[in-house]
Amino acid sequence: MRSDLMKKGLERAPHRSLFKAMGYTDEELSRPVIGVVNSANEIIPGHVHLNTIAEDVKAGIRMKGGTPVAFPAIGVCDGIAMGHAGMKYSLASRELIADSIEIMATAHPFDGLVLVTNCDKIVPGMLMAALRLNIPAVVISGGPMMAGINDGAPVDLIHVFEGVGKVKAGTLNQKQLKQLENCACPGCGSCSGMFTANSMNCVTEALGLGLPGNGTIPAVNAARRRLAKEAGMAVMNLVNKDIKPRDIATLEAFKNAIAVDMALGCSTNTVLHIPAIAHEAGIDLDLDIFNDISRKTPNICYLSPAGPHHVEDLDEAGGIQAVMKEISARGVIDLEALTVTGKKVKENLKKAAIKNRTVIRPVDEPYSKEGGIAILRGNLAPDGAVVKQSAVAPDMMKNEGRARVFDSEDDAIEAILGGLIKGGDVVVIRYEGPKGGPGMREMLAPTSAIVGMGLDKSVALLTDGRFSGGTRGAAIGHISPEAAECGPIGLIEEGDIIEIDIPGKKIELKVDAMELDRRKKAFTPKEPLIKTGYLGRYAKMVTSASTGAVFKDPE
């Protein structure tokens, strides 16, 4: 056993003595030692209940003859960090999470890991660590939040964000907003739509590193606790069979995950995280793979923010396994891929069934023939940009408008809420990329303000930053190279014409090449506003959004 390095033999008597100081017995030390990474805290609704999930995991480990050892991981709540400087630290926390787990599981050589997680950057950070360490591992999420009910209709966090814009537009009063605020998030769990947290939990299941049900069983259901116990038991099976994360997360498995991403209409943040996770497995995923798979994978689910359904509805309809079974008819699922059940995908899918054809449509009657995400390229984004095309109004799929340029999210929000943005404008927010932000802020506030003020069918938003999974409308992010790296987005001037063609996968700045060359020669990018501390180091180490915003490899 790997853990023998710290517990077996004459020379390890001092080590055993330290274990015994914590109450461990010789019997416990004779068993496989399983690290339980617990990201519970009291700042994220999706994590506030994770101590219970972790205890259930530990019970499952003990049932199968292992010894669980828990340690913590940090987590940022994107919703609470949104709209201020705190959001600069969210994406950056992903690397810290991966690094800290690497440190803990190498300093203390566990035989396996169960990673207890739930929300936006914590899930990919833990997946990155699992693939980097490559010891038997299972990921278990805390599950999605239930949708709230307001005046008899389902609501979620995004309705509150959009409510701010509605108050500014005069279509909602502050009393109504308060009522919405009080009921939109009814309890623990990751926010109830197909936002980033739930997108990544569903992707984890499709990738094979989470058990069936990981992505959709609600946080408040007893089935979630049972699944946690099963995760504890599953890791022991993986340890006994020596099945490691890289045996599961192959190129074929990543393609499965992207296909499910497209079928569900997941968050654009998956385009950052999936390549970053693959990078840890030694697999390079070019952005074009998303378009390639999207062309073959219909969008068969219509969950918030794109549509009326929530993750609890998807769970009742059959969950991720039912989605995988349905799209496998298009040949986009590798049925031979291995999973943490110890079985192949085809074996897991035998029990899968669709129970609601409104929530999970047949592949021949999809919401759209292509997947939920599109990668755009052009002279404005030579290295690519991303849009959640399933959440774009039909009128905005092809669009041309005049640029309204802002060098920060804060300035853009002030202009939007101040009524300075009009139909036909293309809001450009730059210097919010991984390096320029630094930290690549998620911008739910400006996109929600645009929707709330009734401009989502006439105003587009472009940025080298990124968006929440809750964003809807013609919001195009991850424009690469970013302004801080001398990307063309830094050359846009107020009033320039920008052409957006989502079906054609193009985004163009309608300025002739000679003028762009003149601007480029005169251009000096702005320095990042934060140059000290972790973000100062992050800005020097981070790569482009087009490569998943991972750190540069050591030279």
Side-chain angles (χ1 to χ4, degrees), residues 76 155 168 217 226 249 318 352 384 465 493:
V76 170
V155 291
K168 289 287 186 178
I217 296 173
R226 294 196 296 271
E493 295 182 358

Side-chain angles (χ1 to χ4, degrees), residues 21-239:
M22 296 178 282
Y24 292 94
T25 65
D26 287 328
E27 174 61 28
E28 287 174 300
L29 295 179
S30 71
R31 300 176 177 186
V33 179
I34 309 299
V36 178
V37 190
N38 182 6
S39 55
N41 61 44
E42 296 180 353
I43 193 66
I44 311 176
H47 290 235
V48 72
H49 64 304
L50 290 190
N51 282 332
T52 298
I53 299 297
E55 287 302 319
D56 290 327
V57 167
K58 289 158 74 174
I61 292 167
R62 290 191 183 101
M63 281 191 280
K64 288 294 183 178
T67 296
V69 177
F71 63 91
I74 65 166
V76 170
C77 180
D78 278 25
I80 294 173
M82 194 77 65
H84 56 87
M87 180 48 75
K88 293 177 182 289
Y89 289 84
S90 174
L91 180 61
S93 74
R94 186 189 71 181
E95 316 308 311
L96 275 178
I97 291 164
D99 290 350
S100 64
I101 296 169
E102 176 196 355
I103 289 168
M104 289 295 289
T106 306
H108 317 100
F110 300 115
D111 296 300
L113 289 175
V114 179
L115 303 126
V116 182
T117 182
N118 214 17
C119 289
D120 296 34
K121 308 309 163 301
I122 304 94
V123 178
M126 288 197 179
L127 286 166
M128 289 166 68
L131 286 163
R132 186 185 303 173
L133 289 161
N134 202 34
I135 60 176
V138 177
V139 177
I140 174 70
S141 81
M145 184 186 294
M146 302 294 283
I149 301 295
N150 185 42
D151 292 335
V155 291
D156 55 51
L157 179 65
I158 305 311
H159 292 90
V160 188
F161 272 98
E162 293 177 358
V164 175
K166 289 181 179 180
V167 170
K168 289 287 186 178
T171 58
L172 194 75
N173 62 46
Q174 291 198 29
K175 183 179 179 181
Q176 291 170 316
L177 180 61
K178 186 71 173 181
Q179 178 179 316
L180 185 57
E181 169 190 328
N182 287 339
C183 65
C185 299
C188 67
S190 46
C191 295
S192 57
M194 193 48 69
F195 316 143
T196 303
N198 290 324
S199 294
M200 289 309 304
N201 286 327
C202 292
V203 162
T204 300
E205 182 177 337
L207 185 60
L209 291 175
L211 292 171
N214 181 72
T216 60
I217 296 173
V220 294
N221 282 14
R224 174 58 60 177
R225 295 192 61 183
R226 294 196 296 271
L227 191 72
K229 291 176 183 176
E230 290 170 11
M233 292 187 277
V235 78
M236 293 304 298
N237 181 51
L238 297 179
V239 169

Side-chain angles (χ1 to χ4, degrees), residues 219-291:
V220 294
N221 282 14
R224 174 58 60 177
R225 295 192 61 183
R226 294 196 296 271
L227 191 72
K229 291 176 183 176
E230 290 170 11
M233 292 187 277
V235 78
M236 293 304 298
N237 181 51
L238 297 179
V239 169
N240 292 334
K241 293 183 177 180
D242 195 31
I243 297 173
K244 300 181 179 72
R246 293 188 196 178
D247 299 325
I248 294 168
T250 61
L251 176 59
E252 290 72 24
F254 278 103
K255 289 180 179 179
N256 285 352
I258 295 171
V260 169
D261 184 342
M262 295 302 164
L264 294 175
C266 287
S267 165
T268 52
N269 280 316
T270 61
V271 181
L272 276 177
H273 299 320
I274 292 175
I277 296 161
H279 177 75
E280 296 291 350
I283 298 170
D284 290 326
L285 289 182
D286 186 272
L287 287 186
D288 290 334
I289 195 172
F290 288 87
N291 278 345

Side-chain angles (χ1 to χ4, degrees), residues 407-476:
D407 286 348
S408 74
E409 176 191 9
D410 310 87
D411 291 345
I413 291 172
E414 184 178 350
I416 296 165
L417 294 178
L420 301 180
I421 302 302
K422 308 297 181 183
D425 287 348
V426 177
V427 175
V428 177
I429 305 177
R430 59 194 181 191
Y431 295 104
E432 292 286 4
K435 178 178 179 178
M440 201 178 188
R441 278 198 284 189
E442 194 169 89
M443 297 186 215
L444 182 56
T447 58
S448 295
I450 287 171
V451 173
M453 297 185 76
L455 296 170
D456 55 306
K457 294 179 175 60
S458 61
V459 170
L461 191 153
L462 314 182
T463 182
D464 53 9
R466 61 191 179 89
F467 299 114
S468 162
T471 288
R472 60 189 173 105
I476 299 167

